[in-house]
Structures are given as C-alpha cells and as structure tokens.
Amino acid sequence: MNRFATMIFGMALVLMAGTAIGAEEAAKHVVPLELKDCVKCHMQAVRDVNTRGGKHQTAVSCQDCHLEHPPMGTNAIPECGMCHDASEKAHYALENCQSCHNPHYPMEMDFTQIASVKPVCLTCHAGPGQEMQAYPSMHAQLDCKECHLTHGQATACNECHAPHSSDMTYQDCLLCHKPHMPLVVKYGDNLPSPLCGSCHGDVSQNLANTSRKHGALLCAYCHKGQHKVVPECSTCHGLPHGSAMHSKFPNCLDCHLDAHALDMPK
C-alpha cells in the first residue's frame, strides 16, 4: 500500500471512530419528549382531544397511548386493547375499532358510510336489542343507522311517520311510544288528554261536552299506564246502587251507556 493510500485509510478510520463516539455522546444527551412537546407538532390532535376527547382527555395523556415516537422508537400507534380489555366487555373484543371511532374524539361516530352497524351497536346497547326481540315491530327489522345516523342522534318520528295531529312534536311521541318497542303504548299518569284525542276524537268530544265529573279527568286517570286498559267502574265508584241492583245489572254500561258521556239521553 503506497503512502497516499495509507493516509486515506487512516483518515477513514479516524472519521468512523469519531462518528461512533459522536453518536454515543449524542445518545447520552437526548432530551426526552414531554407532554407539553406534543402540541408543537400535533396541534390539531391535541386540540381535538382537549375539546372532544371525553375520557381520552381526562383519564389518559398523549404519552399514555403513544409510548414511543419515531425515529427513537416505532411503537407510536397503540392498540385499543392496551386499555380496553376484551375480557371486560364484548364490544372491546371487536376488530377494526377505527371504522367507528377516532381515538382523539372517540364518542363522535358517523355511521352513514358503514354497511351495517346493528351487530356492533348491540354489543354496547343490549337493552334496545332485548326490547326489539321481545316486542317485534318493523323497527326491529331496521339497521340502527336508519334512525341513528351518528352516535347519540335519533331521527324524529315524524320524519318517517305521519303524526297523529299536526301540532304533535317528537317529544310528544316519546310520551307514549318507545322507539325500540313502538307497538307497546305506555304512558305516565299525567299524559295530556289532547294527545289521546288526536286519535280518539269522538271520545274527546264527548268528554268536552259532558257536564259530569268524568269530563274533568285526564284520560290517563282511568286508562292507567297502557293503551287499551279499560277499568272497572267499581274501581272508583264501588257499588253505589246496592248489591241487589248490581247483581241484577252487573254491567254498568247497560244503563250508563257511555262512560265518556254520562248525561247522554237514555
């Protein structure tokens, strides 16, 4: 090897050694990332988590999920199962979480681009599934996204169904109908009678015209709790005409013709 080649080879060895030593020294002086550093590059992600992140904002920090950051590490995107244990809930055992959830705002879900969401929904919302199974209706045959386009949103009844009266609101519908079992018509004791009258107009008119005390009662006072419940007159009135009369005429309506219009001519 001539003198020039020897010199070049020696310089290369020195340079390589210097580079190795430099890298080792640099590694000793790497400043670890802190939580406050995330926003410097990932401003939108931090803003999303802070304003829309739910428990991802309050229960964990960026570094609880993103354990490493390139180029110092490759474990930057966490698996959902790292926190959401499949043994705790059937929903956590599902795959492809990000088809519904954005980790930075996980509870804002748009279902419009997903073919079928019902099997997934029922892993969290077992109650509605049980209601639809126990009380079959046309609603039970629909995919959840037909009414719930996004998580937590519900399509108003009158967007698909003609209301019983022109002034009926979505909240009025919910006083009698539960969307997952709509054919079971149940209501509270304070249900406004005009809602009943929107279907039962003749009865409502008779009550409005009668001078008897029944006209001052809410429909739900007698027809308690559920549609088509018809009480016995004796529930409120006992046996006002004596046992002999009631034995001879057991059916009050043979004489009193219409409980909604007791002053109707006989």
Side-chain angles (χ1 to χ4, degrees), residues 183 185-187 200 222-231:
L183 301 182
V185 182
K186 293 186 176 182
Y187 41 79
H200 305 284
C222 294
H223 305 283
K224 289 189 181 296
Q226 186 165 339
H227 190 239
K228 296 186 178 181
V229 167
V230 178

Side-chain angles (χ1 to χ4, degrees), residues 95-125:
E95 298 179 353
N96 194 19
C97 305
Q98 292 194 35
S99 63
C100 288
H101 300 279
N102 183 308
H104 297 139
Y105 39 94
M107 298 310 294
E108 295 182 23
M109 292 168 261
D110 183 351
F111 304 131
T112 56
Q113 302 304 312
I114 304 174
S116 175
V117 298
K118 190 172 185 176
V120 174
C121 296
L122 295 184
T123 61
C124 269
H125 303 285

Side-chain angles (χ1 to χ4, degrees), residues 86-160:
S87 65
E88 294 179 4
K89 194 174 185 179
H91 190 74
Y92 298 157
L94 298 173
E95 298 179 353
N96 194 19
C97 305
Q98 292 194 35
S99 63
C100 288
H101 300 279
N102 183 308
H104 297 139
Y105 39 94
M107 298 310 294
E108 295 182 23
M109 292 168 261
D110 183 351
F111 304 131
T112 56
Q113 302 304 312
I114 304 174
S116 175
V117 298
K118 190 172 185 176
V120 174
C121 296
L122 295 184
T123 61
C124 269
H125 303 285
Q130 292 166 357
E131 289 176 348
M132 289 186 287
Q133 185 174 17
Y135 304 99
S137 68
M138 291 183 68
H139 283 193
Q141 300 171 27
L142 300 175
D143 190 67
C144 302
K145 69 184 180 70
E146 297 297 325
C147 295
H148 307 284
L149 301 178
T150 60
H151 188 254
Q153 172 271 340
T155 299
C157 302
N158 55 13
E159 291 189 28
C160 294

Side-chain angles (χ1 to χ4, degrees), residues 6-21:
T6 301
M7 184 175 65
I8 293 298
F9 181 69
M11 291 175 64
L13 288 177
V14 171
L15 183 60
M16 291 172 64
T19 301
I21 293 171

Side-chain angles (χ1 to χ4, degrees), residues 43-55:
M43 183 178 295
Q44 187 59 52
V46 172
R47 183 182 293 119
D48 286 341
V49 172
N50 286 342
T51 58
R52 306 153 67 189
K55 289 185 178 180

